[in-house]
DNA sequence: CAAGAATCGAGAACGATTCTCATTTTCAAT
DNA sequence: ATTGAAAATGAGAATCGTTCTCGATTCTTG
């Protein structure tokens, strides 16, 4: 199996930050690439068959997040879920299940995304701050809870 | 000082849920009414002069949230902040500081809010789920961190 | 191969939150 | 007003996600 393009981008970015892309970390990112939404440390550990101890897992997630490869998402019960950063996975938004707390990615059609972006810039201008990013969270029920 | 309209709405809603609106809880909600963004249990305790033990404070926040009077907001470091529910305070969005994690309320002009609402409905239709709410989070830096 | 840097693994430590339980307060019916 | 049931309180222990510590291990580079 050939190393994917995303994998090479990650390796490059981590290298620039002096962070090693070990096999354990590759397993983490490939699990996230295969996911359709953010994953918590516990979820990843299960997904990876308990192969990685929690302490290492948390450290790797933190290191890769501060290197800009992963993006954290704070959910209910104090659980932090991670997903690929936007420059790797593309800009998208989240559907948060009000029952189980799971998070699915949703994408906005380009036209709507453009509208939203303008909207955020307008708000930022009026509030005299710089918008460095934005996230739209839609609350609903996931397929499992519907 | 006359009991405010919001206070009466809260009392009524809590009463319907079989939840008592004690003086301690009134102090909590009035602190939230006076706030310009969500507040954590620790922040509220400070704001209230340590008059309410944390265990009671957490319980009151949880009870009032499940009665629909307060809305939780999950931030970094596993901290949950609460604010008045939308039917009490009006619909608004959040400016989350990427440095200190503080959250300020921001309001969208009516026209933009209408646009955003349509946008969310469109996404929900296409994804075959019901949008029960939405929250736009703009990331930036608060006044203190700017 | 050797030295230094980064990572790993196991367990302890931490901090926000929740739980337990005995006591106290509130509300409603009498 | 009195009383009894339901709900809330306060103090502390317990829980749980996460972070830290530290000795052992694995790169990477010369």
């Amino acid at each position: 199996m050939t190393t994917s393009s995303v994998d090479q981008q990650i390796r490059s970015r981590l290298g620039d930050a002096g962070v090693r892309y070990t096999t354990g970390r590759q397993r983490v990112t490939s699990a996230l690439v295969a996911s359709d939404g953010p994953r918590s440390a516990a979820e990843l550990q299960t997904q990876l068959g308990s192969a990685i101890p929690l302490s290492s897992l948390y450290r790797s997630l933190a290191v890769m997040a501060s290197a800009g490869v992963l993006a954290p998402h704070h959910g209910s019960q104090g659980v932090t879920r991670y997903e690929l950063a936007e420059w790797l996975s593309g800009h998208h938004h989240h559907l948060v299940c009000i029952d189980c707390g799971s998070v699915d990615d949703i994408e906005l059609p380009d036209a709507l995304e453009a509208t939203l972006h303008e909207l955020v810039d307008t708000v930022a201008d009026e509030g005299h701050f710089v918008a460095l990013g934005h996230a739209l969270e839609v609350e609903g029920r996931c397929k499992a809870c519907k």
Side-chain angles (χ1 to χ4, degrees), chain A:
Chain A
M1 179 168 77
T2 159
T3 301
S4 79
S5 157
V6 168
D7 219 52
Q8 293 188 28
Q9 288 178 284
I10 293 174
R11 164 169 279 110
S12 165
R13 170 77 94 119
L14 290 179
D16 291 348
V19 172
R20 292 176 189 159
Y21 197 32
T22 60
T23 58
R25 288 173 185 177
Q26 286 177 52
R27 273 188 286 171
V28 170
T29 56
S30 76
L32 291 177
V33 167
S35 299
D36 54 357
R39 292 286 178 268
S40 68
E43 289 163 348
L44 285 170
Q45 199 186 41
T46 299
Q47 195 167 337
L48 297 175
S50 303
I52 301 181
L54 273 182
S55 59
S56 292
L57 189 43
Y58 275 111
R59 206 169 352 152
S60 293
L61 291 171
V63 164
M64 291 194 285
S66 71
V69 165
L70 301 183
H73 178 271
H74 305 291
S76 56
Q77 301 141 26
V79 174
T80 301
R81 290 164 211 265
Y82 292 85
E83 63 185 340
L84 293 187
E86 297 200 340
W87 66 276
L88 287 166
S89 66
H91 184 58
H92 60 265
H93 299 281
H94 290 146
L95 168 64
V96 182
C97 179
I98 61 171
D99 282 347
C100 72
S102 72
V103 182
D104 282 336
D105 290 344
I106 52 181
E107 287 195 30
L108 259 52
D110 289 346
L112 293 186
E113 187 60 53
T115 302
L116 179 59
H117 206 288
E118 280 174 38
L119 192 151
V120 168
D121 284 343
T122 303
V123 173
D125 284 349
E126 293 183 0
H128 304 294
F129 59 83
V130 180
L132 299 168
H134 67 265
L136 178 62
E137 310 236 315
V138 181
E139 291 139 40
R141 258 180 267 270
C142 70
K143 289 165 191 162
C145 294
K146 186 168 296 177

